[in-house]
Amino acid sequence: TKIDLILDLVSQKALQRSKDPLYTFNFFVDWFKKNDKVTGLEKWNEIFLQYQRLRDWYADREIYHRLGYLVSINFPADTLARIFKFAHPEGKEARSTERIRKMLNRLIKYSLIIKPEGKFKDVADFKDLKYNCAEDPDNSFDASHHYMIKRYLTLYNVMVTEKAGKSLRYPFAYHNTVDGGWSLEHIHAQKSETLNKDWQWQQWVATHLESLNHLLKNQELDPDLKTRMSSLRERMEEFIKMGKGGEEFKNISQEFREIMENLPGATGLYQDEMANMALLGRYDNSTLNNSTFDVKRRKIISELSTNFVPIATERVFLKAIVNNNETCDTDHLFFWGDKDREVYMSDMEAKLKDYLSK
């Protein structure tokens, strides 16, 4: 309950790492024994002022967004309890709101520091972070960069919200309770090798067939490419009717990706780097995770009215990112290409500039 929260903050229960359900009660019993000249009403009035301070933080968009980000990534551990203690030092006057702002900004900057050592030895800045930083990505997987990528993407979503309008507030209540937690998604998926069940193959082919049919309506495509696409469509339709097994699915998915790479303006679609990463809630549908940009875009658009999609992720799949009058390539909605990645990284750098190491 909210009263439990405020009393636990005053007692510093979280910082004491106590699991005793009576810790806070015993704290106040001991406190009044040591301060027997203070009445319960006087102590309550002090606590009430601290409660009002929390409400003021919540109402202040700048503090709300910065403290909310730190709480959401749990940096430092027990963030709210640590900031509360810093704001209300025992036996001293409460620290000013300006001091709180400076402390929050300093902590955010610390949270984004990438030390070029160990698994991060080749990382000059956040744009060099990788989904898989294994030296042999074909035969191994290393998720060492994931927690840092999530921090950057979370703060980016928060700052996009803050810059989008004076009344907008990032919905941490949804962010912190998203079903299944958060996953890092390739904006344009790399592989489909993780799909190994017949129903997964069927679902992948069905969703990508829909995308292919839509693409075939494009009158500007090269005739030879359209012929190749029509041939693939027949194979995909046959696969859905008859089912051809894993080998045929592998061939179909490979052909589909090669076609995508031959679309006008499409280069380097299957990158494993930050510019190809977005924050999404985990989906039970594993075929979505292995889908190309257009398939994901259609699925996410259909989810907007029922599921929480972070604002920056939404803008990625709508190709609605704008930075210094530079926009994503809205003429090609079937892939996430070079220009899209460039605008995405430029906008992220601009939104986070106050917190990037110099």
Side-chain angles (χ1 to χ4, degrees):
T1 61
K2 294 174 183 176
I3 190 64
D4 277 333
L5 173 62
I6 186 67
L7 294 177
D8 284 347
L9 287 172
V10 172
S11 72
Q12 300 178 21
K13 179 179 179 179
L15 299 182
Q16 298 301 320
R17 300 289 189 272
S18 176
K19 296 182 179 180
D20 181 359
L22 295 178
Y23 176 86
T24 297
F25 173 81
N26 290 328
F27 168 85
F28 282 105
V29 170
D30 293 339
W31 191 92
F32 279 109
K33 286 179 180 178
K34 297 174 183 176
N35 301 272
D36 55 356
K37 294 183 180 180
V38 179
T39 67
L41 180 58
E42 289 172 329
K43 185 62 175 175
W44 173 249
N45 286 337
E46 177 188 331
I47 292 172
F48 187 73
L49 287 174
Q50 293 172 330
Y51 157 74
Q52 288 183 313
R53 193 92 188 277
L54 283 177
R55 290 196 59 174
D56 289 343
W57 290 354
Y58 183 82
D60 185 312
R61 279 178 80 236
E62 183 178 339
I63 292 179
Y64 166 82
H65 280 140
R66 284 145 188 78
L67 182 54
Y69 159 75
L70 291 168
V71 170
S72 70
I73 67 167
N74 196 31
F75 180 89
D78 304 311
T79 310
L80 183 58
R82 291 179 186 275
I83 298 299
F84 186 88
K85 180 182 178 181
F86 173 80
H88 306 99
E90 182 70 28
K92 298 180 181 179
E93 186 176 345
R95 291 190 166 98
S96 68
T97 299
E98 190 57 33
R99 287 285 301 278
I100 303 302
R101 285 198 179 97
K102 288 181 179 179
M103 171 59 76
L104 294 175
N105 287 328
R106 192 155 55 242
L107 287 173
I108 291 173
K109 197 164 186 176
Y110 288 156
S111 77
L112 299 180
I113 290 176
I114 302 173
K115 296 182 179 179
E117 55 189 40
K119 296 292 185 179
F120 297 92
K121 65 180 184 301
D122 298 322
V123 179
D125 62 31
F126 74 94
K127 287 175 278 190
D128 294 328
L129 292 169
K130 295 181 181 296
Y131 181 80
N132 179 15
C133 54
E135 293 183 0
D136 183 9
D138 293 329
N139 296 308
S140 58
F141 182 77
D142 188 342
S144 299
H145 290 186
H146 283 202
Y147 80 96
M148 287 302 301
I149 296 175
K150 285 183 179 179
R151 287 184 181 184
Y152 275 92
L153 291 178
T154 298
L155 185 59
Y156 176 56
N157 275 280
V158 171
M159 298 311 295
V160 168
T161 304
E162 184 170 286
K163 303 292 185 183
K166 293 182 178 179
S167 62
L168 292 179
R169 293 160 65 89
Y170 188 76
F172 289 107
Y174 292 125
H175 180 100
N176 295 336
T177 58
V178 67
D179 188 27
W182 292 102
S183 68
L184 296 175
E185 293 288 332
H186 287 85
I187 298 170
H188 200 114
Q190 275 193 311
K191 304 174 182 178
S192 56
E193 283 83 350
T194 57
L195 305 181
N196 52 26
K197 297 181 176 63
D198 183 67
W199 69 267
Q200 292 176 324
W201 300 332
Q202 288 283 338
Q203 196 168 27
W204 190 98
V205 173
T207 55
H208 286 71
L209 176 59
E210 181 181 348
S211 177
L212 186 65
N213 284 330
H214 186 65
L215 181 56
L216 273 165
K217 296 177 183 178
N218 188 333
Q219 301 299 318
E220 298 179 359
L221 289 176
D222 178 80
D224 291 339
L225 184 59
K226 292 192 77 167
T227 300
R228 185 177 177 184
M229 292 165 61
S230 296
S231 175
L232 177 61
R233 177 170 63 182
E234 293 178 3
R235 290 172 59 193
M236 294 172 81
E237 290 172 343
E238 181 71 13
F239 187 93
I240 292 173
K241 288 180 183 178
M242 306 298 295
K244 298 287 186 175
E247 191 61 33
E248 175 64 4
F249 169 74
K250 181 179 178 181
N251 293 333
I252 287 175
S253 62
Q254 180 63 32
E255 176 71 3
F256 190 96
R257 296 181 193 289
E258 289 177 2
I259 287 174
M260 294 300 295
E261 289 177 333
N262 281 282
L263 293 177
T267 56
L269 299 182
Y270 309 114
Q271 293 188 7
D272 208 22
E273 298 173 355
M274 188 73 169
N276 196 33
M277 293 287 109
L279 201 62
L280 275 176
R282 296 186 187 280
Y283 288 89
D284 293 331
N285 184 355
S286 57
T287 59
L288 178 66
N289 303 337
N290 294 272
S291 299
T292 54
F293 176 79
D294 181 58
V295 173
K296 284 190 175 185
R297 183 176 66 85
R298 291 167 176 272
K299 175 67 174 177
I300 287 169
I301 289 174
S302 71
E303 298 261 347
L304 290 178
S305 61
T306 55
N307 290 336
F308 169 57
V309 179
I311 183 172
T313 301
E314 178 184 337
R315 289 187 178 186
V316 161
F317 285 97
L318 293 178
K319 288 204 173 186
I321 298 173
V322 180
N323 181 60
N324 289 332
N325 297 320
E326 287 290 320
T327 63
C328 289
D329 180 8
T330 54
D331 291 332
H332 302 103
L333 295 177
F334 287 87
F335 56 80
W336 184 248
D338 282 342
K339 184 178 180 183
D340 305 313
R341 294 191 292 268
E342 182 180 336
V343 173
Y344 184 36
M345 289 295 94
S346 295
D347 189 57
M348 192 177 299
E349 190 168 34
K351 294 293 191 296
L352 305 183
K353 64 180 180 180
D354 292 337
Y355 302 107
L356 299 178
S357 298
K358 295 174 180 160

